Amino acid sequence: MKLWLSVLFFILPVLVYGQSNVANHFRIIDFKLKGNVENVIPADLDQDGVKELMVIHHYPALNPSHRYLSVFWALPGGRYAPNQSVEVEIPQRFTLFDFGNLPAQQGEVVIMLSNNTAEYYRYENRTLNGPIPLLNFSNQLIQISDPEQLLYYDFLYDWNNDGKNEIMIYQIGDADLFYFQDGKWVKTTIDLPMSARYSSITPLRRIFPHSELSVHYNTPSIFISDREGDGKSDLFIIEDENIWIFGQNEKGMYAQKPSIKLKMNLTDPKEQARKRDQLSLTIADLDDDRKADLISNYQHGSFFNQKADIKIFYGKDQWTELGPKAKPGRAWALNSWVIGPFVKDMNADKSSDLVMPTIQIGVISAAQVLIANNFPFEFKYYLSTNHTIPVEPTYVDQVRLFIDFKEGKLSGGFPNIFGDFNGDRIDDLVFSKNEQEMVVVIKDRQSKRTEKLETIKIPTAILPLVEDVNGDNLGDIILTYPMDTERQNEFKLLINQGKW
C-alpha cells in the first residue's frame, strides 16, 4: 500500500445540480457541490439494501475553510438524483471519521473522533442528527484538525470477530480499544509498535535559526487472522519488520502486551543505508487452511533497475514460532516493483488467488516512455489450483499508463481490477484509455479479457471506485477529481444497467 501511494504521488507532482447521461451499460449521473470533494463513500446508513452516498467536501472560498458532510439518498428502485441530499457542517474539532453499526443500536452511523471524544451522526428520515456524544478518552495521535480535510480510517470495526464492532483509537505507543459489554463501553489498552522520523537542516541554522522541524509518524498496519487454526482470531500488528501478535482471552479481549514478538530478517542493510528499499508485510490465508500466512514484499534497486523479492511463509510451516529462522514456502525474485501483492478469490472458485501489479522501467523502456508518453503497468495473476499458488503466473494482463510531461501528471488514471460488472462473481477490469475515455472489460475465469467491453466517453479519474451501490449484484463506478482544479467540486456515479 505504501508503494501504491508513493507511485501515485510521484506521478501526480448546499446547492447541487446535475444531469443524467446514458452509456450502453451505464447510466451516468453528474453531481456538483459548492466545495471541493474529498471523499465519496457508499454506505447503507438506513439499512434498506441501497447505499447512500456520503460526501466529505470543503469550501475553500470561505475564510477559514469550512468542511461539510452531504448524504445523497436513492429514490425508489435504487435511482439516485443529484438534488436529493442533506448537508451538515463538520465542526473543526473532528480529525477522523468512519461509519458502521454501533452495538445495541439500529442502522449505521457516521462516527467522528476529536482529540478526546467520539461522537456520531445518525441518518434518520433523510436528515442527519448530531453530533451525538458517544465516549471520552485521554487523547488520540492525530490531534490537529485540518480545515480542508477529514481523514477516513476504519477504527469502528469488529476487531475480535465477535459480531460486534469495537472502537480503536491510536495514541503514541499504544491504542485504546473499547469493547461494548453489558450495555456499556469498556476500555482496554494494547501496545503498538510505532516509528517517528524527525528532520531539520542543521547547516542552515545560522540563516534560518528557527526553521521548520519536520516530524513524521508511521502508524502500524493491523490484520485480523487465525494464527493457530483454533477458530479464534488473532491481532497481527506490523511496523516495518516488527510483527506483534495478540491473542484473545476468554472474554474476547486482547491483552495489553503481545503474546508473540517477531522481527523478521527480510531486508538488505546495504540497501537500507542507501534508503532505496521498502518492505511491506501482509497477513492472509493464501492456502485456505484457516491459518495465517505472511506475505513479504521487499522492494529495492533504483528507478531504472527495479527489484522485488516476494516471499510467502505459510502458517502450516509455523512461521510465527520460527520467526526470522522460518523458510518461505514460495519465493519470487522479480525485476520490477510490485504493488501489494493482493490476495483475493479472483475467479469465484472459493480459493484464494494472488495478484501482483508490477511496474518495470529500464533504461531502454524509459526512452520509450519519453517518446510515447506511456509505460506498461502489468497485472500478474496467480490463480490457485487445489489451494496451491503456481510458480508461474496463470495470466499476465497489461494496461498502459499515460503521462502528460508538460503538466507533470498522470493522464487518465490507474486501473481497477477489483469489481464484478456482469454478476458472475468474477473480477473484471476498468481502466482509462485516455483523459476522456474509460473502458470496462469483462473477464473470464482465467482472468483473461473477453470481447464483452464498453468504452465510455467521460473525464477519467485517478482511481475509479467500484462498488455495488444499489444492491443488484452489479458493480457501479464512482469517479472523483481531487487533482483536477476544474472538476474538484464534482463527482460522477455510473449505475450499471446490466445486460452484458
Side-chain angles (χ1 to χ4, degrees):
M1 183 59 68
K2 290 181 181 178
L3 180 63
W4 180 279
L5 293 175
S6 299
V7 171
L8 182 63
F9 289 110
F10 173 81
I11 296 175
L12 305 174
V14 168
L15 292 176
V16 186
Y17 68 90
Q19 62 182 1
S20 180
N21 301 315
V22 178
N24 288 337
H25 293 97
F26 293 91
R27 182 167 56 89
I28 304 171
I29 308 172
D30 298 323
F31 297 82
K32 276 193 176 182
L33 295 97
K34 290 184 291 186
N36 295 348
V37 174
E38 298 296 333
N39 259 307
V40 180
I41 300 178
D44 188 3
L45 298 175
D46 55 8
Q47 302 288 278
D48 65 350
V50 178
K51 296 178 181 178
E52 285 73 40
L53 304 177
M54 296 193 308
V55 185
I56 301 293
H57 53 112
H58 71 274
Y59 298 168
L62 301 178
N63 189 18
S65 179
H66 288 210
R67 303 173 302 175
Y68 292 83
L69 166 64
S70 292
V71 175
F72 293 84
W73 62 78
L75 299 171
R79 295 179 64 86
Y80 294 83
N83 61 346
Q84 302 290 333
S85 70
V86 60
E87 177 186 89
V88 296
E89 183 174 356
I90 302 172
Q92 288 299 315
R93 65 180 179 274
F94 293 129
T95 57
L96 292 176
F97 79 99
D98 193 8
F99 67 93
N101 294 96
L102 290 176
Q105 295 193 33
Q106 296 295 321
E108 293 194 347
V109 303
V110 184
I111 184 170
M112 298 190 181
L113 300 183
S114 72
N115 179 27
N116 53 18
T117 64
E119 304 170 55
Y120 66 93
Y121 291 85
R122 181 168 292 283
Y123 178 74
E124 294 177 311
N125 300 320
R126 295 180 177 174
T127 60
L128 281 166
N129 298 321
I132 303 169
L134 183 63
L135 54 85
N136 298 320
F137 46 86
S138 57
N139 59 69
Q140 64 151 321
L141 174 63
I142 305 171
Q143 298 182 21
I144 302 175
S145 63
D146 185 340
E148 297 187 353
Q149 200 172 32
L150 187 70
L151 297 178
Y152 168 66
Y153 185 75
D154 51 348
F155 55 84
L156 178 65
Y157 194 79
D158 186 2
W159 294 99
N160 60 355
N161 278 341
D162 66 349
K164 297 184 297 185
N165 285 334
E166 290 80 38
I167 298 175
M168 182 180 289
I169 299 170
Y170 280 135
Q171 299 180 358
I172 296 179
D174 56 34
D176 284 343
L177 187 54
F178 289 87
Y179 301 83
F180 193 76
Q181 296 189 345
D182 299 324
K184 62 181 180 181
W185 291 98
V186 179
K187 188 187 80 168
T188 65
T189 302
I190 60 172
D191 288 349
L192 294 180
M194 291 185 62
S195 64
R197 295 177 175 85
Y198 314 93
S199 64
S200 63
I201 305 176
T202 302
L204 296 179
R205 68 185 186 277
R206 294 185 179 277
I207 302 175
F208 304 108
H210 307 113
S211 60
E212 180 180 89
L213 176 66
S214 178
V215 183
H216 179 202
Y217 295 98
N218 280 331
T219 62
S221 298
I222 300 179
F223 299 90
I224 300 172
S225 191
D226 188 345
R227 183 179 71 88
E228 300 175 302
D230 60 0
K232 291 186 177 181
S233 298
D234 299 281
L235 204 64
F236 292 75
I237 302 183
I238 299 175
E239 197 278 324
D240 196 27
E241 289 190 273
N242 298 301
I243 304 175
W244 292 7
I245 306 174
F246 298 77
Q248 295 184 33
N249 62 18
E250 64 278 0
K251 294 183 179 180
M253 294 182 172
Y254 297 109
Q256 179 177 3
K257 303 293 182 181
S259 56
I260 296 177
K261 277 188 177 183
L262 301 174
K263 186 175 180 64
M264 306 299 290
N265 185 22
L266 298 168
T267 58
D268 183 346
K270 293 182 180 179
E271 292 290 339
Q272 284 187 317
R274 297 169 185 165
K275 299 186 182 301
R276 297 196 313 185
D277 68 342
Q278 185 177 88
L279 175 69
S280 63
L281 302 178
T282 302
I283 302 294
D285 182 8
L286 192 51
D287 56 355
D288 303 305
D289 65 350
R290 299 183 181 180
K291 292 185 178 181
D293 306 320
L294 172 66
I295 305 172
S296 69
N297 177 6
Y298 181 50
Q299 316 275 349
H300 54 99
S302 65
F303 187 76
F304 297 111
N305 183 30
Q306 300 99 327
K307 302 288 184 182
D309 297 329
I310 310 295
K311 296 179 181 179
I312 300 174
F313 300 86
Y314 289 108
K316 61 189 176 186
D317 295 332
Q318 297 184 320
W319 69 269
T320 57
E321 286 78 11
L322 296 173
K325 296 181 180 179
K327 302 296 182 183
R330 186 60 55 82
W332 293 268
L334 303 177
N335 294 318
S336 59
W337 281 338
V338 176
I339 298 171
F342 302 105
V343 177
K344 193 176 185 293
D345 180 5
M346 300 297 295
N347 55 358
D349 65 351
K350 298 182 180 180
S351 297
S352 297
D353 304 308
L354 189 68
V355 185
M356 296 189 198
T358 64
I359 297 175
Q360 180 180 9
I361 301 179
V363 175
I364 296 177
S365 58
Q368 296 174 341
V369 169
L370 293 174
I371 296 173
N373 289 2
N374 66 78
F375 66 91
F377 191 59
E378 290 189 343
F379 294 92
K380 299 180 186 293
Y381 293 87
Y382 296 80
L383 304 182
S384 65
T385 302
N386 296 326
H387 307 288
T388 301
I389 298 296
V391 176
E392 298 297 327
T394 309
Y395 178 66
V396 179
D397 198 3
Q398 185 182 100
V399 177
R400 304 198 74 83
L401 299 182
F402 295 87
I403 304 173
D404 185 340
F405 287 105
K406 183 178 179 180
E407 296 292 331
K409 66 177 184 178
L410 185 70
S411 298
F414 284 93
N416 192 335
I417 62 170
F418 302 115
D420 176 14
F421 292 104
N422 63 340
D424 61 359
R425 297 184 295 114
I426 297 172
D427 282 290
D428 302 309
L429 169 68
V430 55
F431 68 95
S432 300
K433 188 175 180 180
N434 51 54
E435 286 187 330
Q436 298 297 324
E437 289 182 303
M438 187 175 67
V439 181
V440 175
V441 183
I442 303 300
K443 291 204 163 191
D444 63 18
R445 288 189 177 274
Q446 296 299 308
S447 293
K448 295 181 180 179
R449 302 188 193 189
T450 69
E451 295 181 354
K452 298 178 181 178
L453 60 85
E454 179 171 7
T455 299
I456 308 167
K457 294 186 179 300
I458 193 170
T460 53
I462 293 300
L463 184 61
L465 172 64
V466 180
E467 188 160 347
D468 177 15
V469 299
N470 55 1
D472 61 359
N473 297 317
L474 300 175
D476 308 298
I477 303 174
I478 296 176
L479 305 177
T480 59
Y481 306 94
M483 309 303 294
D484 188 338
T485 56
E486 296 181 358
R487 295 190 175 91
Q488 285 180 324
N489 65 331
E490 301 178 15
F491 74 94
K492 299 181 185 296
L493 173 62
L494 282 66
I495 296 292
N496 193 340
Q497 304 294 291
K499 299 180 182 180
W500 287 90

